[in-house]
Amino acid sequence: MSTVTYILVVTTYESKETGQFSIDVLGKNKIILERLSTPINIQLIYSSKLIDDSPTYYRDYQVPECHYETSQIHVNTTGSYVLWSENNINAYGYIYKNDFNPLNPSKNLLLSHGGECNDGKFKLIIDLKINTRYILVVTTRDPKTIGNFFVYISGPNNVSLSRFSPELSNCAIRDQYNLYMKGIALTLDDILCNELQPNIVLNNQSFSIKLSVGLTIIMFVAGLISGILSFVTFQNKDAQQVGCGIYLLASSIVSLLTIIMFIIKFWFVVLTRINVSTSLSVLRGGCASIELILKLFLYLDGWLNACVAIERAVYIFKGVKFDKKKSKSIARRTILILPFFIFCTLIHELVLRRLFEYKTARDTIDTSKTNEAIIKRYVSCITRYSPSVQVYNIAVLFFHLVGPFIINLFSALFIIFGGARQRSVVQNNQSFKEHIQEQFTEHKQLIISPIVLLILSIPRLIISLLPDYMETSENMWLYLGSYFISFSPSMLIFLIFVFPSELYMKAFKQSFNRIRRRTPTKSARSG
C-alpha cells in the first residue's frame, strides 16, 4: 500500500561478517529505497563487576558455580525496552517478573539471551510495564568466571537499576519444567528441610526435630534387637528346613543393615544441615551413596519377604508334594541374584545424582561478621533425569514397591481361599465358609505376616506417590510418620515372622538356650 512505510533490515548469518550486497526490486510501480536512521535513546548505562565474592548458582540447572548479579528494573513509562551488554566475558542475561529464586531459576523467567551470534554479549528486547517489578540477572556462560560488564538500556523514558537481594529457601530444588527430578518419592531431606535450622545446636532445634531424634533412636534400638533375635532364630538349622528359613535368615541380616543405614541417613541429614560448613566432598559422597544403599536394602528386604510369601503359598498349594531340598536350593540362588538385580535397576541414580551448591553474596553492610556469617551456602542433592530416564525411574519405583505389595496380598488371599477351596473338593461334608475358618485357624502364622507386611507397606507406597513439589511443612508429621512407618518391616521381623510360628519360636528358644549355656562356660574359663 502506498500509504504504509515498510522497513527492510539486511543483516548477516555470522557475527561481525562484512561485505557488499545489492538489492533488486521487481514490481508494477517504481519503489524508492532510502537509508533509515534509527536513533537509539539510551536511558541508562550501568557498570559493575563480577568478583570472587559474588554469589554463585547453577545457571539453567546445568552449569555450577556461575557468579551472578541481580538488579531491580524501574521504568517510568510502559513500552518496549532494549537491554544489551558490553563486556569482556561471555555474559548471559535473564529478566524475571516479581521475584528471582536462584534455587529455582526457571520460575518467573520472562526472557533470556546467552550472547549467541553477538560475541557473548546478551541482548534483550522486552515490553515493560510501570508498577511492576522486573529483575535483571547478569551471569556468565562458564563457572567461576569474573570480570567487568556494562548494561545499556534504551526505551521511551528514564530507567533506573537498584540492587536486589533474593529471599532464599534452604529446601531442595524443584524445577517446574521437570528438567531435574528426584523421582516421585519424598525423601527425608524433603520432609525435614524446613524444620532444621542451620548453625543452631540440636538442643535449640524445634520440638519436632527433637521428637524425630527420639523416635529414630527408639526405632534403631527396636530394629537392632529384632534383627539380632531373628538372626539367632534363623541361623538354627531347624529353622532352615525349607527355603523360608533361608530367606528369613537373609532378611534378618538385611533388616539389620537397613536399620543401620536408616539412622546413618537420619543423622547425616540432620548434622549436615545444621553444620553448613560441612566439606563438599563429604556431602557429595553422602549424596551419591547413602540414599542409593538405603533403597537397595529396603527393596531387597521387601523382595525377600515376598519370596517368603511365595514359598508359603507354594507350600499350601503342593502340600505333601512340596520338595524341601529343591526349595532350599532355589532360595540360595535367589538370595545371590536379588541384590545384583536390584542394584542394576538403581544404577542410573548413582550416575545421575549430583550436589547442587548455591552461595549468597557477601554482606557489604556489616563488615564485622566473619566470612561464614557473611556468605551463606545452600546445598541440596538432586538427580537430573531426562524424560525417558524419568519414565524408567517411575517404572522401577513402582516395580520395587508395588511388586512385593501385590505378592503379599495375593499370598495371603491364596493361603486362605485357595487352601479352603482345595479342601472343600476333598471334604465336601463341610461348607466353604467352614473350610475358610479352619484354614485361618490352622495356618494363621502364615497369614498374619503377609497381612501385616501389606499394611505396613501402604504408607511407603503413599509417600512414594507424592510429587516433589508437595509442601511438607504444613503436614510434616503426616509425612514423617509415613516415612518412619515404611521402615517398620525392617525392625519388626521377629514379631512378624518368629513370634506367631511355633516352629520358629522353638528354634529361637533352642538357639537362645545354647548361647546362654555357652556364656557361663566361657566366663568360667576366663576366670
Side-chain angles (χ1 to χ4, degrees), residues 261-373:
M261 284 305 303
F262 167 72
I263 199 166
I264 291 175
K265 169 70 175 179
F266 180 84
W267 283 112
F268 183 83
V269 171
V270 171
L271 295 180
T272 54
R273 286 197 177 275
I274 291 177
N275 183 14
V276 295
S277 61
T278 305
S279 170
L280 285 179
S281 59
V282 173
L283 293 172
R284 287 192 183 97
C287 174
S289 61
I290 293 180
E291 188 70 23
L292 178 66
I293 295 173
L294 186 59
K295 279 187 178 181
L296 174 63
F297 289 152
L298 268 175
Y299 294 159
L300 180 57
D301 194 32
W303 281 109
L304 287 172
N305 293 335
C307 290
V308 174
I310 292 173
E311 179 152 309
R312 286 178 168 179
V314 172
Y315 174 77
I316 296 297
F317 178 74
K318 290 190 174 182
V320 294
K321 295 181 181 179
F322 184 77
D323 190 337
K324 296 182 179 181
K325 186 177 180 179
K326 184 178 180 181
S327 166
K328 292 192 288 184
S329 176
I330 293 174
R332 292 190 182 96
R333 289 199 298 267
T334 303
I335 290 171
L336 292 175
I337 295 172
L338 264 180
F340 294 100
F341 170 73
I342 295 173
F343 180 78
C344 288
T345 63
L346 299 175
I347 193 69
H348 64 288
E349 291 197 21
L350 182 63
V351 176
L352 299 175
R353 292 182 75 83
R354 65 169 64 179
L355 200 67
F356 179 100
E357 181 190 12
Y358 166 76
K359 291 181 181 178
T360 61
R362 182 182 295 275
D363 189 347
T364 57
I365 298 175
D366 188 354
T367 57
S368 64
K369 295 181 180 179
T370 62
N371 287 338
E372 288 77 13

Side-chain angles (χ1 to χ4, degrees), residues 163-440:
R163 284 295 183 96
F164 174 78
S165 298
E167 295 182 2
L168 305 173
S169 168
N170 62 348
C171 291
I173 303 92
R174 296 176 178 90
D175 177 26
Q176 63 181 349
Y177 297 115
N178 296 326
L179 294 176
Y180 282 81
M181 294 290 291
K182 287 178 289 185
I184 54 172
L186 284 172
T187 64
L188 191 62
D189 307 61
D190 301 319
I191 298 172
L192 296 180
C193 67
N194 285 322
E195 295 295 321
L196 288 165
Q197 301 299 317
N199 297 321
I200 296 179
V201 296
L202 189 62
N203 288 337
N204 295 331
Q205 292 287 335
S206 64
F207 172 76
S208 58
I209 295 298
K210 296 178 182 178
L211 189 56
S212 299
V213 170
L215 290 175
T216 302
I217 294 174
I218 293 173
M219 289 180 63
F220 174 72
V221 173
L224 200 63
I225 294 173
S226 176
I228 293 173
L229 294 180
S230 301
F231 178 79
V232 168
T233 301
F234 296 114
Q235 57 85 31
N236 191 318
K237 296 298 181 183
D238 293 338
Q240 299 181 28
Q241 296 179 6
V242 294
C244 276
I246 299 175
Y247 287 128
L248 290 171
L249 175 62
S251 181
S252 302
I253 298 172
V254 173
S255 295
L256 281 171
L257 295 174
T258 302
I259 207 67
I260 291 172
M261 284 305 303
F262 167 72
I263 199 166
I264 291 175
K265 169 70 175 179
F266 180 84
W267 283 112
F268 183 83
V269 171
V270 171
L271 295 180
T272 54
R273 286 197 177 275
I274 291 177
N275 183 14
V276 295
S277 61
T278 305
S279 170
L280 285 179
S281 59
V282 173
L283 293 172
R284 287 192 183 97
C287 174
S289 61
I290 293 180
E291 188 70 23
L292 178 66
I293 295 173
L294 186 59
K295 279 187 178 181
L296 174 63
F297 289 152
L298 268 175
Y299 294 159
L300 180 57
D301 194 32
W303 281 109
L304 287 172
N305 293 335
C307 290
V308 174
I310 292 173
E311 179 152 309
R312 286 178 168 179
V314 172
Y315 174 77
I316 296 297
F317 178 74
K318 290 190 174 182
V320 294
K321 295 181 181 179
F322 184 77
D323 190 337
K324 296 182 179 181
K325 186 177 180 179
K326 184 178 180 181
S327 166
K328 292 192 288 184
S329 176
I330 293 174
R332 292 190 182 96
R333 289 199 298 267
T334 303
I335 290 171
L336 292 175
I337 295 172
L338 264 180
F340 294 100
F341 170 73
I342 295 173
F343 180 78
C344 288
T345 63
L346 299 175
I347 193 69
H348 64 288
E349 291 197 21
L350 182 63
V351 176
L352 299 175
R353 292 182 75 83
R354 65 169 64 179
L355 200 67
F356 179 100
E357 181 190 12
Y358 166 76
K359 291 181 181 178
T360 61
R362 182 182 295 275
D363 189 347
T364 57
I365 298 175
D366 188 354
T367 57
S368 64
K369 295 181 180 179
T370 62
N371 287 338
E372 288 77 13
I374 292 171
I375 300 177
K376 294 182 180 180
R377 184 182 71 178
Y378 297 87
V379 180
S380 184
C381 186
I382 64 172
T383 308
R384 184 187 182 192
Y385 294 142
S386 64
S388 58
V389 177
Q390 174 67 359
V391 172
Y392 169 77
N393 185 64
I394 295 174
V396 167
L397 184 72
F398 269 79
F399 176 73
H400 288 305
L401 291 181
V402 179
F405 180 91
I406 294 175
I407 288 174
N408 280 291
L409 174 63
F410 279 94
S411 171
L413 294 176
F414 182 80
I415 290 172
I416 298 174
F417 295 100
R421 182 162 296 280
Q422 287 181 341
R423 287 196 173 188
S424 65
V425 174
V426 179
Q427 303 174 10
N428 52 15
N429 57 332
Q430 290 181 298
S431 65
F432 182 65
K433 183 179 180 180
E434 291 173 337
H435 281 296
I436 291 177
Q437 293 174 346
E438 287 184 0
Q439 192 76 0
F440 184 84

Side-chain angles (χ1 to χ4, degrees), residues 2-20:
S2 59
T3 58
V4 178
T5 301
Y6 297 94
I7 299 174
L8 173 65
V9 178
V10 179
T11 185
T12 60
Y13 182 78
E14 302 290 344
S15 63
K16 290 189 174 181
E17 187 175 357
T18 61
Q20 294 182 346

